Amino acid sequence: MKRAALLLLLIVLLGAGLLALLQHFAAPRMEQKRQAAAERALLDLLPAGSHDNRPLQQPIALPAGGLLGNGRAEQGYLASLNGRPSAVLLPVSARGYEGPIQLLVAVTADGRLLASKVLQQQETPGLADLSAPGRVSWLRSLDGKSLGADWSLRADGGRIDQIAGATVTSRAVTDALQRALRFFDAEREQLLEAQP
């Protein structure tokens, strides 16, 4: 009986040791994969071939509040191609109808909205849910706009179609995108010269 218990204990210890060893050698690879997935999720705003650096390795410290409206200090990222800045990724917050909307905005080096996407939102599903396919295409329709463009919604006499039944959400998003462009314009030199 003692011999069986010792054998079982030895097998358990051997198994635990092998598991720990496997974890030790697999951890760096798992971390690389996690970072690559996070990078893909953030960098999908940047067109292929628009950068040759690793933007997530070039974070830019951004203060809380201000034009970006973030409740806490955040990080932006600099994308570059052949050593020259090509875009800056900026997090920006808006107050939607149902609560906060977190966006990630890509701004070209010349100050145009390259693309944007919703990172987090609580808007009404089926009506103002910004992650729904129709809403994503509405968000994409704003790509390419600059600070000097008309950002007014049709409901306010402007040229931008609002999301049907979600004018408050539409206003919040267009306002947030404009604020991101104003922030970029005000901080352009520091953002484009950010180095790791």
Side-chain angles (χ1 to χ4, degrees):
M1 192 69 147
K2 273 188 172 181
R3 184 173 249 170
L6 284 174
L7 186 59
L8 184 60
L9 180 61
L10 182 62
I11 290 171
V12 168
L13 289 175
L14 239 158
L18 285 173
L19 195 57
L21 193 60
L22 183 62
Q23 167 67 25
H24 173 73
F25 286 112
R29 186 175 179 150
M30 289 168 48
E31 178 60 19
Q32 275 181 325
K33 287 187 180 229
R34 188 199 63 74
Q35 284 180 353
E39 197 165 301
R40 279 192 305 278
L42 287 176
L43 300 182
D44 64 353
L45 293 178
L46 302 174
S50 68
H51 68 287
D52 57 11
N53 70 324
R54 309 259 334 248
L56 296 185
Q57 293 179 0
Q58 291 188 251
I60 303 167
L62 302 170
L67 286 171
L68 296 178
N70 297 315
R72 59 183 168 81
E74 297 274 354
Q75 289 184 329
Y77 303 97
L78 176 65
S80 60
L81 182 63
N82 299 321
R84 298 182 63 161
S86 58
V88 174
L89 295 167
L90 298 170
V92 62
S93 296
R95 180 78 186 146
Y97 186 76
E98 295 289 336
I101 300 170
Q102 306 291 322
L103 298 156
L104 183 64
V105 177
V107 181
T108 62
D110 65 354
R112 285 179 301 106
L113 177 65
L114 180 60
S116 61
K117 75 175 191 174
V118 176
L119 298 176
Q120 188 176 26
Q121 55 98 32
Q122 302 168 355
E123 300 303 275
T124 309
L127 185 60
D129 181 357
L130 293 165
S131 59
R135 307 311 183 252
V136 171
S137 61
W138 175 80
L139 203 53
R140 286 189 188 128
S141 74
L142 303 172
D143 294 354
K145 285 192 162 292
S146 64
L147 198 50
D150 180 6
W151 285 87
S152 302
L153 300 175
R154 286 201 195 278
D156 301 326
R159 296 182 180 204
I160 297 175
D161 288 325
Q162 63 272 5
I163 298 170
T167 304
V168 170
T169 302
S170 302
R171 280 189 191 115
V173 169
T174 56
D175 175 65
L177 297 176
Q178 288 178 82
R179 286 187 289 107
L181 291 175
R182 283 200 311 270
F183 178 84
F184 175 83
D185 192 53
E187 304 293 331
R188 180 185 311 247
E189 192 172 306
Q190 290 82 2
L191 293 170
L192 295 180
E193 291 178 3
Q195 296 298 319

